[in-house]
Amino acid sequence: HVHKDFLKASRLLSELFLYYQNNEDIFLSHGGRRLEEDSLEISIADFIAGMTDRFALALYNRLFLPQPWKSQ
């Protein structure tokens, strides 16, 4: 059971990393910061490392899972 949870968490974090790597503008709009001396990859890793589990899961759901239609 723990191994399955680890694999899920690993996949979630990997997908967030790749998404931000391919969408630097979105990374920056989500609060990510780039220091001049750091690569994009280091900046993304630092950003993700600072996320709580709950925040990372909510972000993943918002980015990758279909959202129900919202009534206006």
Side-chain angles (χ1 to χ4, degrees):
H1 182 70
V2 171
H3 183 67
K4 276 180 147 179
D5 288 342
F6 175 80
L7 292 176
K8 287 180 195 176
S10 178
R11 180 175 175 201
L12 180 145
L13 296 174
S14 294
E15 288 188 28
L16 285 175
F17 183 90
L18 290 172
Y19 179 79
Y20 282 139
Q21 190 177 34
N22 292 316
N23 299 282
E24 183 177 358
D25 56 330
I26 296 172
F27 166 67
L28 296 172
S29 75
H30 284 178
R33 290 187 288 170
R34 298 255 345 245
L35 298 177
E36 196 172 307
E37 64 272 11
D38 288 343
S39 67
L40 176 61
E41 292 77 15
I42 293 296
S43 298
I44 294 168
D46 288 346
F47 184 63
I48 290 174
M51 293 179 182
T52 64
D53 294 347
R54 182 174 289 168
F55 180 83
L57 185 56
L59 179 61
Y60 180 89
N61 287 337
R62 186 166 46 106
L63 293 174
F64 298 110
L65 299 181
Q67 300 297 312
W69 292 99
K70 296 180 182 179
S71 59
Q72 295 185 14

